[in-house]
Amino acid sequence: MKIIISHSNHAQLKELASKIDTRTPQNKVTVIVSKKEQKIVFIEGKKPLCNQFNFKLSNQSTGIKDKKYAIDASFVKQLPDYFTTKADIELNIRTDSKQILYMELQHINTKHNAVALRRCTCSAAEPEHLEYLKDNKKMKPSKVSKTLITKVVEEATKNLPFELLEFRKDCIRIQRDGEVRDKPLPDTLDLTTPLIITEKITKHLAALCETTNSSDIEIDQVGEVLTFKTDECTVTHSLAGIEEFRAKTPTKMKTLLHFVLDFYTFKEELRHCLKAYKIIKKENRAMLYLNKEQAAVAFFTEPYEFVLPIEVSEIIGENTEIDSVYHFSPKDLINIKIKDLVGAKTAQFDIIQEAGRKLKLGVYYAKDDILPSHTISIERDDSQYKKVASLLASLNKNDKNKGSSEPEELIEKNGFFNSDFEDEY
């Protein structure tokens, strides 16, 4: 039996391979060949998180018979690498003299100009995969247009990172670091039923939209299992923690201070001080100084006193909040990665007060976002305000003195001193 799958399905085959976890010993993939439907089906995974991929057979396929068998998962995972994107996938299913079934292919390595024969013995189809196939046919999912799902992926991507994100009828509920917050639902998203996804699901859903030829994507959720179904595949995902997520109420927060500053300079100073000074790295304590004109990052760790002014703009808050100092963990902020900054180098920050008067420093991906992409703990410490201000004043004084010394340096450079004195040397 010669199975030929069009090269146009290479991306789908690659998606199948990405789902296969070969870390489990003796992991199997069930393969079902249907003569009537002229297709080959691959089922992988463990119930209830199985995935099913359907491939139409090319007209060039020969000797097609109904077959159900299992094959080693590692062999299936390598299939995309055994065929180039321009070559059809050709699989031969044969039975040897001892009636042992096996699958074989020719691996043409164009890089080394070599051809290898790859053969793998087949075994009986996995019972739980056959059971999953029956359950899949009984499923009664809801249909959603691929266009709308694409918008869901775009909106979810804007709100990364998150642990769980729910598209409700009236809002989007987001869980980050275990805390839940709501934001308005865009007018373009008109989902008739709620949908809960994770970061991992968002990525897989994006890939599904790219590879499917279906105009609709079917969605079914039962407990902590979420299923997406198209003509080409059925993929399942875990929504572990969904019950706790649904039981949570949005965290109440108040923005005390809003400002925009040079994120690269801020982060680079933290990185330098932690990398160059082990004592500072061990203490892991930095100061954020703010007033109406400028911001600064400072370190007061014996025997060091460091301060670096940073350009700040759009600072909004009560006067008691603007003139302030906060201490925080520099390691926490260094770990934050901002993909799309507000400007060429700037990022938006908020000092946020949560329930129990706990303070957080919120960092935003986009200027118009109403929820921070990342938050870190921060504490007000105005006892250090005068000390930071004094260091900044000393820095400004040194800058002025440096500017006044330039004429003398210029005179010396141009040789206006007594030439006879210089000749003595």
Side-chain angles (χ1 to χ4, degrees), residues 163 175-179 374-375:
E163 290 131 23
Q175 178 175 301
R176 291 192 188 118
D177 299 325
E179 295 180 350
H374 301 271
T375 60

Side-chain angles (χ1 to χ4, degrees), residues 69-133:
Y69 59 90
I71 194 165
D72 183 69
S74 294
F75 187 78
V76 179
K77 193 174 182 69
Q78 294 302 315
L79 292 182
D81 296 328
Y82 288 157
F83 300 93
T84 66
T85 55
K86 295 181 181 180
D88 289 343
I89 297 99
E90 184 176 325
L91 309 171
N92 292 289
I93 301 172
R94 307 182 191 279
T95 304
D96 65 12
S97 58
K98 296 180 180 179
Q99 297 303 304
I100 296 174
L101 191 72
Y102 61 87
M103 178 186 283
E104 72 174 22
L105 58 89
Q106 284 191 359
H107 173 202
I108 302 173
N109 192 323
T110 54
K111 184 178 180 180
H112 300 290
N113 194 25
V115 179
L117 179 68
R118 311 286 184 194
R119 180 181 292 176
C120 185
T121 303
C122 303
S123 57
E126 294 288 291
E128 67 172 334
H129 288 165
L130 298 179
E131 187 180 345
Y132 167 80
L133 191 63

Side-chain angles (χ1 to χ4, degrees), residues 230-296:
T230 67
D231 292 340
E232 299 89 354
C233 65
T234 301
V235 292
T236 55
H237 299 277
S238 171
L239 288 174
I242 187 176
E243 295 304 323
E244 293 83 354
F245 171 68
R246 283 174 168 166
K248 290 180 178 180
T249 55
T251 304
K252 293 182 179 180
M253 60 181 186
K254 178 184 178 182
T255 300
L256 303 178
L257 188 61
H258 165 89
F259 56 97
V260 174
L261 57 74
D262 185 330
F263 186 68
Y264 286 139
T265 302
F266 188 22
K267 195 172 179 179
E268 184 55 36
E269 174 67 3
L270 299 177
R271 184 181 286 111
H272 164 73
C273 291
L274 262 65
K275 186 177 181 180
Y277 301 92
K278 291 183 178 180
I279 296 175
I280 291 179
K281 182 179 181 180
K282 184 178 180 180
E283 183 167 317
N284 191 32
R285 180 186 175 94
M287 301 286 174
L288 173 63
Y289 168 95
L290 294 163
N291 67 23
K292 294 178 181 179
E293 285 80 31
Q294 70 177 159

Side-chain angles (χ1 to χ4, degrees), residues 32-92:
I32 301 172
V33 181
S34 172
K35 180 180 179 180
K36 181 180 179 180
E37 298 179 14
Q38 287 291 293
K39 71 176 182 181
I40 183 169
V41 176
F42 294 85
I43 303 173
E44 72 82 35
K46 300 292 181 183
K47 280 194 71 179
L49 302 180
C50 294
N51 297 294
Q52 175 186 335
F53 286 80
N54 313 315
F55 297 88
K56 289 183 179 180
L57 300 183
S58 169
N59 293 332
Q60 297 176 347
S61 302
T62 58
I64 304 303
K65 297 178 182 179
D66 291 335
K67 284 286 184 183
K68 294 180 182 179
Y69 59 90
I71 194 165
D72 183 69
S74 294
F75 187 78
V76 179
K77 193 174 182 69
Q78 294 302 315
L79 292 182
D81 296 328
Y82 288 157
F83 300 93
T84 66
T85 55
K86 295 181 181 180
D88 289 343
I89 297 99
E90 184 176 325
L91 309 171
N92 292 289

Side-chain angles (χ1 to χ4, degrees), residues 408-420 422:
E408 294 181 8
E409 293 173 359
L410 187 63
I411 290 172
E412 184 177 359
K413 182 178 179 181
N414 289 280
F416 291 118
F417 288 106
N418 188 308
S419 58
D420 292 337
E422 292 179 341

Side-chain angles (χ1 to χ4, degrees), residues 4 47 142 171 189 247 308 340 343 352 397 408-409 424:
I4 297 179
K47 280 194 71 179
S142 302
C171 69
L189 287 176
L308 175 72
D340 300 311
I352 301 166
K397 184 178 179 181
E408 294 181 8
E409 293 173 359
E424 291 179 5

